[in-house]
Amino acid sequence: MAVQLKDKEAYQRMNYLYQAAHCVLSENPNNVELARFYCFTQRTIARRLVLRQDPSVKRTLCKKCSSLLIPGVTATTRQRRKKNKTRFTVMRCLSCGQSKSLLNNPDYCLWVDRPEAQLEQQKQPDQGSSTKNQPKDTEPDKSQSSKPSAAQSSAST
């Protein structure tokens, strides 16, 4: 069973703009302004429709100038370590100078990637109120299950 997205067309348009920004920078690394315009438009769509972007996409966009952060082209990337041996990556935008720090923890898992975040994995609430009031250890009342339903009784007559 496929899950219907709320704004499928908006997600498709945002994906197209993100890919277009990558293509523009791969063809001509000097054409940063056009790629920035595409990323700004993508961000505006997400903000206007209150849509969540994938964390991998958000990590490659500058929050200040909406520039696409590609190491060596529009951003510098450095590996840093704190005193407590915590490693992280620092990406600095070459357009505006904004820095972004990303933790380098191989055991870290995004909430989006966890099984409990998926809609298919979450339990749906029970419709019947009679099952909610019963304790979990006891079986349902067998006298109710032995009675024929209205559909079964009408089919036999």
Side-chain angles (χ1 to χ4, degrees), residues 8-156:
K8 185 177 180 180
E9 294 85 15
Y11 278 111
Q12 288 176 348
R13 185 172 181 211
M14 289 168 39
N15 184 22
Y16 179 80
L17 289 168
Y18 184 73
Q19 290 178 12
H22 267 285
C23 287
V24 164
L25 286 177
S26 66
E27 292 291 324
N28 185 5
N30 295 328
N31 204 354
V32 177
E33 291 298 322
L34 183 59
R36 184 182 298 157
F37 173 75
Y38 289 153
C39 293
F40 179 76
T41 307
Q42 172 197 0
R43 190 170 169 194
T44 304
I45 292 168
R47 192 181 305 142
R48 186 182 68 223
L49 297 175
V50 192
L51 299 175
R52 290 182 182 258
Q53 291 182 333
D54 193 61
S56 62
V57 172
K58 288 169 64 174
R59 286 182 183 140
T60 59
L61 296 176
C62 178
K63 284 186 175 182
K64 190 172 181 182
C65 68
S66 297
S67 220
L68 188 62
L69 299 176
I70 299 175
V73 180
T74 60
T76 59
T77 306
R78 300 283 186 253
Q79 299 294 320
R80 300 284 184 223
R81 185 183 300 182
K82 289 188 177 179
K83 291 182 181 180
N84 59 358
K85 307 271 180 158
T86 305
R87 295 179 182 182
F88 56 96
T89 303
V90 177
M91 294 184 74
R92 184 171 184 184
C93 179
L94 294 177
S95 299
C96 65
Q98 181 76 14
S99 294
K100 181 180 282 201
S101 297
L102 305 171
L103 185 64
N104 288 349
N105 185 358
D107 298 329
Y108 182 74
C109 181
L110 291 172
W111 187 83
V112 174
D113 297 334
R114 293 183 189 165
E116 62 264 17
Q118 304 301 321
L119 288 176
E120 294 117 14
Q121 301 292 329
Q122 293 178 353
K123 292 183 179 179
Q124 297 297 327
D126 292 334
Q127 296 288 333
S129 61
S130 63
T131 58
K132 287 182 181 177
N133 296 336
Q134 293 177 351
K136 292 181 180 180
D137 296 329
T138 62
E139 295 179 5
D141 190 16
K142 293 184 180 181
S143 63
Q144 293 177 354
S145 62
S146 63
K147 292 180 184 177
S149 65
Q152 291 174 347
S153 63
S154 65
S156 63

